[in-house]
Structure formats: C-alpha cells, structure tokens
Amino acid sequence: MNQIRNVKGTRDLLEDSSALWNVVEQHVRATFNLYGFGEIRTPILEDTSLFVRGVGESSDIVGKEMYTFPDRKGRSLCLRPESTAAVARAYVQHRLQDQPQPVRLYYIGPQFRYERPQKGRYRQFQQIGAEVIGDAGPESDAELLVMLLRFLEGMDFEGLVVRLNTVGDIESRNRFGAALRDYLEPHRASLSEDSQRRLDTNPLRILDTKAPAERALLEGAPELSEFLTSDCREHFAGVRRLLDRFGVRYEIEPDLVRGLDYYTRTVFEIAATGLGAQDSILGGGRYDGLIEQLGGAETPGIGFAIGQDRLIDVLPQSFKDRHQRQRPVVVVPIGLEQGADIALDIAEQLRTAGIHSVAELSGKSMKAGMRLASKLEAIGVVLIGEDELAAGTVTYKNFASREQSSVDRKDLAQIITTSINRSTD
RNA sequence: GUGGGCGUAGCUCAAUAGGUAGAGCUCCUGAUUGUGGUUCAGGUGGUUGGGGGUUCAAGUCCCCUCGCUCACCCCA
C-alpha cells in the first residue's frame, strides 16, 4: 500500500519550525501595529475574475500559475495566488473609503501558485503583506519602507539594500511601451517566444529578461525614465528624498519591473543571500489604478509582500537564539498508586504560577521519567514518592546545578520561579 | 512547461565482478529494588519508491512509472 503524503509543493511545519514561524508573526504584529496597521483576514478562496482583473491576464501568475476550478455550481473559483487584489476587493466591498484615509492593513496567510517547486519556492507559500490605501504621496511609500526595514532589523538582519525603481503611471507606461515596441519590432524574430508574446501584451516585461542576446539588444533601447510624466518624476524624487532622510539604503535598478500588471510608479524588492536562485525575500510597489480596476473610485495604494518561507530560511541565528522555546519542568511520580493523578495535580499547580510543566504519565520506571526530562531539556524535575507524599513535600532537582532539595508542596512554585530568575540573570 | 541530479531502516549512509540486506544515530529495555543527560549490553524497525523484463539468482543490468531535489522560467 502506498503511503499518503503531503501534496507536492506543500509542507508540514513540525514543532521546531512552527515555533519560529510564530515568533516571526508576533514580531510582524508588534511592528506593524506600531505603525498603525490593523490586520485583515480575507478568504483563501476567491472568484477567479478578481485576479484576472486585478493582477492581470498578461501576468504569468494568472496566465499559467493559478489553482482554478469550477465549484459544484460551475462558478470559477481559485485559491488566491496573492493577497493585494483581495485586500483591494475588500476595500471596495466594505466601503473602506469612508474610514479615515489612508487605510493601513496587513495580512499573514497562505498563497497558492502552481509552479515547479524548488528551493525557496513552494506551491503553498506564506506571505506577510501590508497595504496603504488612499494616499498618493511619496510619504506613504517611504513610511512603508521604513517600517519594513525596522521589521527586518528587529530580527537582526544587516546590510540589506532595497532595490528601487519607478515604472511610471499608466500614461508613462503606455508611451514607453509603444516606444519599446517600435524599437524591438524589427528584431522580433530574434526574440524568445516569451518576449515575442510580451511584445504584444506587455512590452515592459521584456526589460527583465535574462537572455544574453536580448540583454544586448536592450542596451540601445529607449529607457523608461525618459518617458515618465513630470508628476511621476516628482513622486520618485520625493520617495528618494525621504528615504535619504530616514537613512534607508537603496539602489536604483532601472530594469526592475515586476510581474504583476497592477504596479505603477514606485516598485521595490529586497534580496538576500543564501537562498539559491529564489533570492527575493520581499517585493512590492504602488498600484494607483487597482481599486478603480475593481470597481471602486480612483484610489491610490501601495503595499508589499514578504515571502515568509524564504524569510525564515535566512533568519539570522542571533534572532533564533533569542527566541528558543521555553524549557519545562517535568513532574515524575515514583512508584505511587495514583502516580499520574498526583503528577498532574502538581503540574497544574505549577502552570497556575506560570511555570511551563509536563507531567510524566506513562507510569513506567522513574528512570524513564528522568530520561524524558532530559530529552525535553527540562530545567529540572519534581519527584514525588511515598516519603514525600506522606510528608506533604516534593523533591525538586535542578538539572543545571544537579542540586536537589526537599520542599513543601506549597512553596514549590515559588522556589522554582526564583531559581529560574537567578539563572537568567 | 523544459532540463540536470538522486531514491536502501524514522535520519545519515554501507553492501566486493549480479549470490539472497548491514552500520551509526534515533526510539525502547536493562546494568541489585528512588536519580537523567556520559558509558556498556540487548531489542524494535526494510516486500532496497512502485511495476515489468533479463537471469538459476537483481539493491546491483534494461524499460516504464512515481517521488524528492536543483536549475530554467516566474516570483515571495
């Protein structure tokens, strides 16, 4: 019989890693709240047309990577491939324009894309994202990046550089797209199949090609920066001025264009080393036309998404060390009739005092209990046998010092607490 | 979707020119009846990813298939 296993491109996070995920998520909530962001939780299942309209038909995500299927009544649904479009949908649907603007939201949740898995790329992956909707100024762009860096630095990341670019507004993009098409059209035959298709659907995307021949050809191509409207130039200059003011390190990358069609003006990403080919840990940008595209009023917005799986892959060791899991006290009964009951009583008493504790319930030998305690890396064990039971005491053994003493049951929690505090000083 | 590498115990790996599967770690038990983590002894655990073929004989050779992994592509 063949074993049932997890679906390709998904994974189980066992205790060791899920603890780390939780720590990161706590750090997200703490930091983002500090900047006035509230959490939004949107469904994993959405109407397929949300992404067709929001992310764009010419994008690879919508074109070939979505988990799309008809439900029992034939409606086309999909597992969300990203969350910005869903947040924008919620903004329109719940009339969040009637809230004080801009609205600041963050989310943490799984996303799904049907791709060939590899290092740092999964079919179910987790994104941490934040969106600022309803403010068009460069201040929002800068503030978002400042928050992002505070978040990363809070986890001991060092030397990260933001890769920054502007792709202009719709008008700039259309003018540039036309010029790029005119330039490349004579060379159409020498372009890759993908690039030929993009020449018709979205010429901008050809800019980030890696094919050497195409890169060479692009050397002489018109540049996006020459087609920016004065508003777009001003906006980008504003973003840069503010980033300088806040000491954010960035590099301008003129060829940075992102794969989602909704991006306008500011786009950015941060890469990390140690991730192989999938080295981008986060990406984002402005999407001033998205809300309108989804049926709302003309409303600007900007956001980013962090790949949590990748982030955790490169999490600095010092941060992990600071968040090791709590070590328990193990309560071991010795040859008692109702040993498990009594062990549970004591463990429960310790928990009331806030001490992480585990009762040994197997009823095996005391040795087995002691072994369990060291497997669990316990800070100590509470032993209780006939003598202790009769005297109303227990024996507490501190594993670090190897000292043990007989203490009254009512004093146990207090004694353990002070011994913990002493060792962490 | 395309290409490379790899599938032997829970994990990391052995197995001479095809000869009937083994080690370390983990886990469990024990080393005079109430003391772990070290040490020692013993034990659990595999239809060698699956199917077919060649052969007296296949983990080993051939074919198919599945899975894992890395890269392209794309992106987080």
Side-chain angles (χ1 to χ4, degrees), chain A residues 199-225:
Chain A
L199 198 53
D200 301 318
T201 58
N202 190 355
L204 229 67
R205 289 289 313 289
I206 300 176
L207 285 188
D208 62 2
T209 180
K210 284 164 197 152
E214 297 184 11
R215 288 244 62 93
L217 187 57
L218 286 171
E219 290 290 321
E223 300 207 359
L224 177 56
S225 58

Side-chain angles (χ1 to χ4, degrees), chain A residues 77-382:
Chain A
L77 303 183
C78 64
L79 300 180
R80 63 180 181 205
E82 62 107 51
S83 283
T84 298
V87 173
R89 191 218 81 227
Y91 179 94
V92 173
Q93 184 176 337
H94 302 292
R95 302 193 56 82
L96 300 187
Q97 68 271 23
D98 298 340
Q99 307 274 325
Q101 301 294 296
V103 169
R104 294 184 172 90
L105 299 167
Y106 76 89
Y107 59 86
I108 303 174
Q111 318 292 336
F112 303 82
R113 293 181 200 170
Y114 192 91
E115 301 179 87
R116 255 320 241 284
Q118 71 186 69
K119 189 175 174 63
R121 191 171 78 183
Y122 308 97
R123 289 183 172 180
Q124 175 177 341
F125 60 101
Q126 183 94 345
Q127 285 190 333
I128 298 165
E131 314 288 349
V132 179
I133 304 177
D135 180 65
E139 295 79 11
S140 286
D141 305 37
E143 188 182 36
L144 198 67
L145 282 164
V146 169
M147 176 175 86
L148 204 39
L149 286 165
R150 182 191 288 267
F151 168 70
L152 293 168
E153 282 161 9
M155 292 184 300
D156 301 348
F157 279 101
E158 286 173 3
L160 293 179
V161 179
V162 177
R163 305 205 288 225
L164 189 70
N165 192 24
T166 177
V167 293
D169 57 14
I170 307 289
E171 188 193 335
S172 323
R173 280 240 297 275
N174 288 343
R175 281 165 46 195
F176 172 65
L180 190 60
R181 191 176 290 141
D182 289 346
Y183 172 80
L184 289 173
E185 190 60 53
H187 307 93
R188 176 180 278 272
S190 63
L191 298 177
S192 69
E193 205 178 307
D194 277 343
S195 292
Q196 292 195 23
R197 184 167 40 75
R198 285 174 184 151
L199 198 53
D200 301 318
T201 58
N202 190 355
L204 229 67
R205 289 289 313 289
I206 300 176
L207 285 188
D208 62 2
T209 180
K210 284 164 197 152
E214 297 184 11
R215 288 244 62 93
L217 187 57
L218 286 171
E219 290 290 321
E223 300 207 359
L224 177 56
S225 58
E226 297 159 13
F227 291 81
L228 296 176
T229 63
S230 59
D231 281 356
C232 288
R233 281 175 213 277
E234 222 169 277
H235 182 88
F236 197 45
V239 173
R240 295 170 61 173
R241 180 182 65 79
L242 287 158
L243 292 181
D244 289 339
R245 180 187 163 106
F246 284 98
V248 173
R249 292 174 57 200
Y250 62 89
E251 283 168 4
I252 306 294
E253 294 229 351
D255 289 337
L256 178 65
V257 292
R258 304 190 47 80
L260 287 72
D261 292 354
Y262 54 60
Y263 285 121
T264 58
R265 295 196 169 177
T266 315
V267 294
F268 56 88
E269 63 181 40
I270 294 181
T273 51
L275 278 171
Q278 310 299 319
D279 64 350
S280 167
I281 56 171
L282 68 90
R286 189 161 267 290
Y287 43 83
D288 291 344
L290 178 60
I291 301 286
E292 202 178 355
Q293 188 71 35
L294 296 176
E298 190 181 338
T299 308
I302 181 168
F304 62 77
I306 304 169
Q308 191 172 352
D309 307 74
R310 293 180 188 177
L311 181 74
I312 283 171
D313 256 6
V314 293
L315 212 50
Q317 190 60 43
S318 56
F319 180 75
K320 294 188 208 172
D321 290 345
R322 271 189 283 136
H323 295 279
Q324 299 216 345
R325 104 192 144 82
Q326 283 194 28
R327 299 167 63 189
V329 168
V330 175
V331 183
V332 180
I334 306 167
L336 294 176
E337 197 68 27
Q338 305 286 330
D341 293 18
I342 294 163
L344 275 180
D345 279 345
I346 295 173
E348 204 49 22
Q349 177 195 338
L350 294 178
R351 292 164 190 153
T352 302
I355 298 168
H356 185 64
S357 52
V358 174
E360 210 287 315
L361 302 174
S362 71
K364 291 181 191 165
S365 63
M366 171 189 181
K367 181 167 283 185
M370 295 299 285
R371 282 203 183 127
L372 175 70
S374 43
K375 295 284 159 47
L376 296 179
E377 297 182 296
I379 57 176
V381 287
V382 174

